[in-house]
Amino acid sequence: MLTVYLDDSGTHGGAEVTVVAGFVSTKLRWDAFRKEWARALRRERIELFRMSDLENRRGEFEGWSKERTETFRGKLFDIIRQRTLAPIGSALINADWERVMPAHIRSEWGGSYGWCAEDCAHQVYKWAKRTGTPGKFRYIFEKGTIGHGQISKMFADYTTDPKWDAFQIGDYSFEEKKVMQLQAADLLAYETYKHMCNRGKRPMRRSLALLLAGQDTRYLQFHNAERLMKMVNAASELDRQGKLD
């Protein structure tokens, strides 16, 4: 069973964007990741990595120089690129979601976080299909996140209803941020949030470009109002044809 670790960003009140993002990999690769990540943190005497703390040089990173910050971040990027199979993510602008999505869809997914998590499962399905990867996937989310209920609502249906078998969802759970794979997901979710807020205003952040260098980014999705509307129209057409339960 392959495992997908996903974290969120922008689920706090008043956020401009909602993001769910992370990485998929095998147990063997995740085991190697965990050892290398722990070694990198131990060398810098860091107990718990949070990208927002590193970016703002606060908490355990208070007083760090720009050079030390970039060097450490680069080491983490190297570990992620070497030990994960693909970045997975979904991001949307909350104002677009509220304006475009019909009430029944917002209710079905429980909110924008649940919808983004479902889209991540869809991206994993597309990755598995394109790469010919068999078997089930286990999903791990951060424990205590604001969108906990939305995730449970959606994944409970996906793991019990046979009509969703194609998504290859084995099980799901919620873990503490001390799980190092979730720290990598936190890093991608943070960078994706920043990128989504800056789209159309600034180029891609150098840090995100470095993180994604050489990776297949087809499964990292950015949804504006136009894309959301196309998805709503497509779903409505399938429903009209009786092809959507």
Side-chain angles (χ1 to χ4, degrees):
M1 184 180 293
L2 280 76
T3 308
V4 186
Y5 288 88
L6 296 169
D7 197 13
D8 64 273
S9 186
T11 50
H12 55 280
E16 180 182 353
V17 169
T18 293
V19 173
V20 178
F23 299 92
V24 58
S25 202
T26 64
K27 182 182 184 303
L28 187 63
R29 283 172 173 260
W30 278 131
D31 286 346
F33 166 92
R34 189 171 60 251
K35 293 176 183 178
E36 293 169 12
W37 193 271
R39 188 181 303 119
L41 266 58
R42 189 164 55 248
R43 285 174 177 170
E44 295 290 351
R45 299 181 180 179
I46 301 299
E47 292 187 10
L48 180 65
F49 175 81
R50 292 183 184 276
M51 184 58 183
S52 59
D53 287 346
L54 178 65
E55 177 80 1
N56 296 290
R57 299 175 204 170
R58 66 189 182 200
E60 296 185 82
F61 304 101
E62 185 175 356
W64 278 35
S65 67
K66 180 179 179 181
E67 181 181 3
R68 185 182 181 187
T69 298
E70 292 185 351
T71 298
F72 178 62
R73 187 177 59 193
K75 291 179 181 178
L76 299 184
F77 286 1
D78 287 343
I79 296 169
I80 289 173
R81 287 195 300 267
Q82 291 170 13
R83 299 304 180 186
T84 62
L85 294 174
I88 304 294
S90 181
L92 57 81
I93 299 170
N94 289 326
D96 290 344
W97 161 267
E98 293 295 334
R99 177 165 53 88
V100 170
M101 285 293 172
H104 72 277
I105 293 181
R106 295 201 303 269
S107 175
E108 181 178 358
W109 300 125
S112 58
Y113 181 40
W115 190 89
C116 283
E118 187 277 339
D119 189 37
C120 284
H122 189 221
Q123 298 309 315
V124 172
Y125 158 75
K126 290 197 295 185
W127 173 82
K129 186 175 181 180
R130 185 170 283 139
T131 58
T133 302
K136 298 286 188 177
F137 291 87
R138 184 185 183 199
Y139 287 79
I140 309 292
F141 299 90
E142 183 185 358
K143 188 175 183 179
T145 186
I146 294 174
H148 183 117
Q150 296 179 32
I151 292 293
S152 296
K153 174 182 173 65
M154 190 267 291
F155 270 78
D157 184 36
Y158 274 38
T159 54
T160 56
D161 193 329
K163 74 181 180 182
W164 300 115
D165 283 350
F167 272 30
Q168 301 172 228
I169 298 175
D171 61 11
Y172 68 99
S173 63
F174 298 85
E175 305 290 345
E176 301 285 352
K177 197 56 150 292
K178 65 183 179 181
V179 173
M180 294 177 186
Q181 296 92 324
L182 284 175
Q183 295 173 30
D186 167 85
L187 195 159
L188 180 60
Y190 180 92
E191 287 291 344
T192 303
Y193 178 86
K194 290 289 188 179
H195 177 65
M196 193 67 177
C197 289
N198 292 337
R199 288 190 86 194
K201 305 172 187 175
R202 303 185 188 93
M204 177 182 286
R205 283 162 55 91
R206 178 174 176 271
S207 51
L208 180 58
L210 290 172
L211 173 61
L212 298 178
Q215 301 217 58
D216 188 347
T217 60
R218 285 177 289 186
Y219 313 101
L220 193 57
Q221 297 291 304
F222 303 96
H223 302 288
N224 56 17
E226 182 181 1
R227 289 197 67 181
L228 290 173
M229 182 60 74
K230 286 182 178 179
M231 298 174 82
V232 170
N233 291 339
S236 298
E237 179 61 21
L238 289 174
D239 191 32
R240 186 187 68 78
Q241 296 175 13
K243 298 180 180 179
L244 188 66
D245 291 334

